[in-house]
Amino acid sequence: MIQVNRVRNLPAAIRIDGGSKGPLGEGGFMSSDNRPLSPHLQVYRPQLTSVLSFLHRMTGVALTPGTLLLVYWLAAAAAGPEAFATAQALIGSIIGRVLLLGWSFALFYHLCNGIRHLFWDAGYGLELPDLYRSGWLMVFAACALTLGSWVLGYAMRSGAW
Amino acid sequence: MSRRSPLGRVRGLGSAKEGAGHWWGLRFSALALIPLTLWFAASVAVMSGAGYETVRAWAASPLVAGLLLLLIVAVFYHGARGLQEVIEDYVPRKSVKFTAILAVQAASIVLGLTGVLSVLLLLFRV
């Protein structure tokens, strides 16, 4: 019998181990009305690996409206001083800064986790201990890059450098 | 260029459509975006609170303009392909899926071209 530690308490019908009978036994895997369902989000207890994976997609999707800001900023600079001043004021407003904070974290998160993905695609770091190590390292790096860029931004703004 | 391995092609392995090219395209653009986004984020942070003239002088450099063009192309290519993957995974109805992917691609082209034109204007306007 397969041990599935990560599955929450579930009705017997969708237990992955299919009850006490073997795969082909009565009420086991293969009976048509009691087939094991593919484990999905609500079945698994969240783990670092799965949470980081969802976040990769979510930050990727969240970044696409962020491209509007990039294009708006460039177009405003191209349009002239007045349009650019308006853009800077919008981005510098409270709402603008909150959005920018979210987007900067999403950017650094997607970037750092994307590097993990590239290593996996090359066949490295796929063992479970490596996944956890690179996962925590990535979370730390994304937070550090976000914090670092904001510290740099505010330091430049106040003329510390 | 499909970049499928010769053996895979001969055996007919993998996607029968443009899956291999799509897969590589997403990875190559990701690779390009690592240095480009780090450079852009650092540049923007350094120019935080700077006035119009500073930003204009920065964007008037051919090196900066070239990097900005690369950034824009890679961002919209990567974004459109990535969103397409998400849509293909989560939108079951074919008509909606087709329309959504078309809309993403159209928006990427329009936004990308706007960005490219802005960079060129900043570069060439005297």
Side-chain angles (χ1 to χ4, degrees):
Chain A
M1 203 55 56
I2 310 158
Q3 276 299 127
V4 185
N5 296 322
R6 287 293 184 177
V7 174
R8 289 185 177 129
N9 289 331
L10 292 168
I14 53 170
R15 283 254 173 84
I16 288 194
D17 61 11
S20 55
K21 292 274 167 69
L24 294 165
E26 215 175 324
F29 271 19
M30 302 305 283
S31 60
S32 58
D33 56 346
N34 196 22
R35 303 269 303 266
L37 298 176
S38 175
H40 201 43
L41 299 188
Q42 68 274 27
V43 175
Y44 273 110
R45 188 180 302 150
Q47 306 153 62
L48 182 74
T49 44
S50 62
V51 170
L52 297 185
S53 177
F54 305 147
L55 277 174
H56 190 68
R57 277 219 157 165
M58 282 156 70
T59 50
V61 172
L63 280 168
T64 52
T67 59
L68 284 170
L69 181 71
L70 169 70
V71 170
Y72 171 56
W73 188 71
L74 287 171
E82 281 181 21
F84 187 71
T86 310
Q88 291 287 72
L90 272 175
I91 295 166
S93 70
I94 297 290
I95 297 171
R97 278 183 219 198
V98 169
L99 282 174
L100 201 59
L101 180 64
W103 271 322
S104 60
F105 178 72
L107 176 73
F108 288 126
Y109 180 95
H110 200 80
L111 187 134
C112 294
N113 203 42
I115 294 174
R116 274 174 98 215
H117 269 280
L118 289 172
F119 273 103
W120 296 334
D121 291 336
Y124 299 105
L126 289 160
E127 296 298 320
L128 211 47
D130 296 338
L131 288 175
Y132 275 86
R133 208 173 303 132
S134 66
W136 283 118
L137 181 68
M138 183 275 291
V139 169
F140 174 78
C143 293
L145 281 168
T146 309
L147 191 70
S149 62
W150 281 79
V151 167
L152 178 62
Y154 272 104
M156 294 306 294
R157 195 172 262 265
S158 65
W161 273 301
Chain B
M1 195 168 17
S2 83
R3 292 197 182 80
R4 291 179 69 177
S5 74
L7 189 61
R9 196 174 304 142
V10 165
R11 286 182 171 168
L13 297 174
S15 169
K17 298 175 198 162
E18 56 278 310
H22 183 113
W23 193 90
W24 278 112
L26 209 54
R27 268 90 198 150
F28 283 133
S29 52
L31 214 50
L33 281 169
I34 296 171
L36 287 172
T37 42
L38 285 175
W39 162 77
F40 182 72
S43 306
V44 169
V46 167
M47 286 188 301
S48 163
Y52 173 73
E53 284 307 323
T54 313
V55 175
R56 225 195 100 178
W58 172 73
S61 144
L63 176 69
V64 168
L67 289 172
L68 282 175
L69 290 178
L70 284 175
L71 175 75
I72 290 165
V73 171
V75 157
F76 284 102
Y77 181 88
H78 189 84
R81 294 225 151 179
L83 268 191
Q84 181 183 338
E85 246 179 49
V86 175
I87 292 167
E88 283 169 346
D89 282 354
Y90 298 120
V91 180
R93 265 185 68 182
K94 271 202 169 170
S95 55
V96 182
K97 185 187 300 200
F98 182 84
T99 314
I101 292 172
L102 196 69
V104 162
Q105 289 176 347
S108 302
I109 290 169
V110 171
L111 284 172
L113 279 181
T114 310
V116 166
L117 269 179
S118 305
V119 171
L120 291 179
L121 276 172
L122 283 163
L123 177 63
F124 290 118
R125 187 181 289 161
V126 184

